[in-house]
Amino acid sequence: MRGQLKRTMRRKWICIALCACLFCAGAAGCGAEEKDNMADKNASAATQDEASEADAKETTEADVKETTDASETLGNPDSESETDEMEMTDVSEVSKMPEETASDTAEEDGASLQGLSLSILGDSLSTYEGWIPGECTNFFPMNGELTDVSETWWMQVLAQTGMELCSNNSSAGCTCAGDSLYTGEVKYGCSTDRISLLTGSQGKMPDVIIVFMGTNDLLKGVPLGDNDGTGLVEEGEIDNFSDAYTLILDKLASEYPMAQVYCCGLHPVGDWGTKQPFVLLNNYDGLTAEDFSKRIELIAGNKGVPYIDLYHCGIEVDNLQQMTSDGVHYTPLGMSYVAKAVIDCLNASGN
């Protein structure tokens, strides 16, 4: 009995001991797990803190950079200098215009001519049927190679500048020299009647007058004379070119004081004879178109009048067969060379 009781008590204590061991083991396991969980939580928290700290640092650096950039843009002199340099670069790029833009600029240069009225005091080189006063004599298109008025030098000038024709007072065969008081015909450029024909319909006054005469004086052997544009010329019979041309400019200044006058030189003319074609044609004094052109330039300069150089416009003795139909009167190609020289001078003078 007593032995049985001891065995029972031993089993009981063994059970208690086992339970105690199991409890301690469980408690230890729970503590470790909780410790691990806490470690995980602490690690996670640390990671989050580091991430937050990194974000905050990046945000702060970005703010600082943004603030610095803003301050450089708003108040940094170097930044303003760089901006100015960029603007200067853009302007320089614009200034490098292509050829077609440069041509547009040439047209803009001539914009001041738009709507101005043009009158011409000329000879056969500027005529065309239906476009000159009834008193004047035509050469084109009955003679020469022109087939349309648009081919004339003056119509090309009108078309390309926007000017309007006031009066084309041109007549074939006329000279500058002659009787300045002659009233029967328009034979002489210095005559009062010729000068009066420069007004348009209803008395319209020209803004621009182009004098393109002298070829017939050369061909008919009119003496050149020695007036440089400063000598006084009296009305009456004018027997030399220099006096006649000077008187023409004096009368234009008196009758049309508000008009801008231009003087055209002469292109080289040639002898279309069978023995010596294209040789410069001299008048009786051995003078050439160059001599007359130089005198026109001298007189115009002393009168303060722009000179249109046709002697060097591209029409030469060697190409007269292409530029003229007879050594004197222009082909359409020759007309285009004259038109260009006139337009260039009009634009350069800045009307």
Side-chain angles (χ1 to χ4, degrees):
M1 187 71 178
R2 178 182 283 181
Q4 187 177 357
L5 180 59
K6 285 182 178 180
R7 284 195 296 274
T8 301
M9 290 297 295
R10 188 180 298 144
R11 291 192 190 106
K12 182 177 180 180
W13 282 110
I14 290 173
C15 290
I16 292 172
L18 287 174
C19 289
C21 290
L22 291 175
F23 176 80
C24 291
C30 290
E33 184 178 354
E34 183 176 352
K35 184 177 181 180
D36 291 341
N37 290 338
M38 289 297 295
D40 292 342
K41 290 180 180 180
N42 291 338
S44 177
T47 301
Q48 292 179 357
D49 291 341
E50 290 176 358
S52 299
E53 183 178 356
D55 291 341
K57 183 178 181 180
E58 290 178 0
T59 302
T60 301
E61 291 176 352
D63 292 341
V64 171
K65 186 177 185 301
E66 182 178 357
T67 303
T68 303
D69 292 344
S71 65
E72 290 176 350
T73 302
L74 294 174
N76 192 328
D78 294 337
S79 176
E80 292 179 355
S81 176
E82 292 174 0
T83 303
D84 292 341
E85 290 176 1
M86 291 176 63
E87 293 176 354
M88 290 297 292
T89 301
D90 293 340
V91 172
S92 65
E93 291 299 325
V94 172
S95 66
K96 298 177 181 178
M97 298 181 295
E99 293 183 0
E100 57 270 22
T101 307
S103 65
D104 292 340
T105 303
E107 292 176 2
E108 290 177 2
D109 290 340
S112 59
L113 301 171
Q114 183 76 30
L116 295 182
S117 57
L118 169 66
S119 287
I120 302 163
L121 180 62
D123 51 30
S124 60
L125 299 176
S126 305
T127 64
Y128 203 90
E129 185 178 18
W131 291 86
I132 61 177
E135 301 93 324
C136 297
T137 304
N138 282 295
F139 180 87
F140 296 112
M142 292 77 70
N143 306 287
E145 298 182 12
L146 301 189
T147 59
D148 191 87
V149 68
S150 63
E151 296 173 323
T152 62
W153 69 265
W154 48 272
M155 188 59 78
Q156 292 182 55
V157 170
L158 295 176
Q160 295 182 45
T161 62
M163 300 175 73
E164 301 172 355
L165 185 62
C166 184
S167 173
N168 183 357
N169 180 10
S170 299
S171 186
C174 66
T175 59
C176 292
D179 187 354
S180 68
L181 299 176
Y182 187 79
T183 58
E185 296 177 272
V186 289
K187 297 170 58 175
Y188 313 119
C190 65
S191 71
T192 302
D193 280 2
R194 280 298 302 273
I195 299 297
S196 68
L197 292 177
L198 292 172
T199 56
S201 59
Q202 299 180 347
K204 181 177 177 61
M205 304 295 282
D207 298 309
V208 176
I209 298 174
I210 295 179
V211 181
F212 188 5
M213 295 188 67
T215 300
N216 287 319
D217 295 86
L218 168 66
L219 298 180
K220 294 181 179 182
V222 175
L224 182 61
D226 58 7
N227 198 330
D228 62 359
T230 62
L232 180 64
V233 181
E234 296 182 1
E235 296 280 3
E237 189 68 34
I238 312 299
D239 61 1
N240 68 84
F241 174 77
S242 297
D243 280 345
Y245 207 91
T246 298
L247 184 58
I248 287 174
L249 296 188
D250 288 340
K251 285 187 172 183
L252 292 178
S254 175
E255 295 297 321
Y256 308 97
M258 301 304 294
Q260 173 63 65
V261 178
Y262 292 82
C263 296
C264 290
L266 311 183
H267 71 275
V269 296
D271 180 4
W272 277 63
T274 57
K275 294 182 179 180
Q276 292 181 313
F278 312 121
V279 175
L280 276 177
L281 181 64
N282 296 342
N283 71 357
Y284 301 126
D285 292 332
L287 301 174
T288 68
E290 183 176 17
D291 296 312
F292 274 72
S293 294
K294 288 181 177 178
R295 182 53 56 92
I296 293 172
E297 183 177 13
L298 176 63
I299 294 173
N302 286 331
K303 294 293 187 184
V305 174
Y307 171 73
I308 302 173
D309 185 4
L310 297 185
Y311 192 80
H312 299 98
C313 73
I315 299 175
E316 303 173 353
V317 174
D318 293 337
N319 63 20
L320 280 178
Q321 191 169 15
Q322 292 75 41
M323 298 294 182
T324 70
S325 60
D326 55 9
V328 177
H329 297 91
Y330 303 121
T331 61
L333 179 61
M335 286 287 187
S336 67
Y337 275 71
V338 174
K340 182 181 184 304
V342 172
I343 293 172
D344 287 347
C345 184
L346 291 175
N347 285 332
S349 65
N351 256 293

